[in-house]
Amino acid sequence: IGFTEKQEALVKESWEILKQDIPKYSLHFFSQILEIAPAAKGLFSFLRDSEEVPHNNPKLKAHAVKVFKMTCETAIQLREKGKVVVADTTLQYLGSIHLKSGVIDPHFEVVKEALVRTLKEGLGEKYNEEVEGAWSQAYDHLALAIKAEMKQQD
Ligand code: HEM
Ligand code: ISQ
């Protein structure tokens, strides 16, 4: 399935907007995950022993940014090469982290929905179905690669 130049541009442009307030959007992203799936709280080491979502937690921020950046990078690769290329070592690492943390397949839909809600929040009137479609498509490809790696290590 192809990824158009337009879709790539939409993903890049929206990331440029969200990037301007990392503390806000990383927190929003994370809060959405917990709103959709409260039980997912126990998966995250930086949350397990805190009552509420920690504001300004450097790990939370860095990881949230990585999810957005990797999805953005996936969009670029889908456009350039028609497939996702993540360095083997990165994929193995992400596979093992998620497997060890107890992440299972249905969680990937939760994170996708949280990501989409965060885009909606950040983009305001610039948000539309085309933007959502482009991000969803890139995310799905990336998620598939991570899930496949998790199964291989299982
Ligand atoms: C950790 C990315 C999906 C839960 C991480 C890290 C990254 C990442 C970059 C940090 C690794 C490190 O340096 O320590 C992604 C991407 C995803 C994805 C790109 C999808 C395309 C998910 C899903 C869940 C999840 C679906 C389940 C809710 C976790 C947990 C950790 C983690 C529990 C470990 C955090 C900790 O305890 O420090 N993820 N993730 N991730 N992710 Fe994801
Ligand atoms: C890790 N993996 C997926 C999503 C995340 C969101 C916020 C912080 C860490 C994450």
Side-chain angles (χ1 to χ4, degrees):
I1 298 161
F3 207 76
T4 66
E5 215 165 298
K6 174 84 185 292
Q7 285 180 303
E8 182 190 356
L10 286 173
V11 170
K12 282 182 176 167
E13 281 162 23
S14 31
W15 172 234
E16 285 304 315
I17 295 171
L18 265 68
K19 223 167 66 176
Q20 286 166 25
D21 197 344
I22 300 290
K24 176 177 173 184
Y25 296 115
S26 55
L27 196 64
H28 189 271
F29 184 25
F30 200 75
S31 305
Q32 292 305 311
I33 295 177
L34 297 192
E35 196 178 300
I36 303 166
K41 190 174 185 246
L43 300 173
F44 292 88
S45 63
F46 47 80
L47 264 195
R48 233 167 267 145
D49 28 45
S50 67
E51 282 301 312
E52 46 198 289
V53 182
H55 286 242
N56 251 309
N57 180 293
K59 242 187 171 177
L60 189 159
K61 250 191 292 188
H63 292 182
V65 165
K66 262 195 198 160
V67 178
F68 272 95
K69 273 195 180 156
M70 287 188 76
T71 308
C72 206
E73 186 56 36
T74 299
I76 296 168
Q77 291 185 349
L78 283 173
R79 160 79 188 126
E80 283 180 354
K81 308 191 180 90
K83 60 174 181 179
V84 187
V85 186
V86 185
D88 276 351
T89 48
T90 306
L91 212 49
Q92 279 163 16
Y93 176 66
L94 284 181
S96 79
I97 287 270
H98 291 97
L99 196 62
K100 262 195 303 196
S101 306
V103 174
I104 50 172
D105 277 13
H107 289 140
F108 282 87
E109 288 302 311
V110 173
V111 169
K112 178 163 78 171
E113 175 63 22
L115 184 118
V116 162
R117 288 187 189 180
T118 306
L119 286 167
K120 214 177 233 171
E121 166 82 12
L123 297 181
E125 58 188 23
K126 286 196 178 126
Y127 180 87
N128 57 43
E129 303 235 308
E130 224 183 340
V131 174
E132 175 174 330
W135 278 91
S136 300
Q137 208 175 309
Y139 175 90
D140 283 344
H141 276 86
L142 179 58
L144 203 65
I146 297 174
K147 285 188 279 189
E149 184 61 37
M150 287 167 70
K151 289 196 178 78
Q152 207 174 312
Q153 290 177 19
D154 202 2

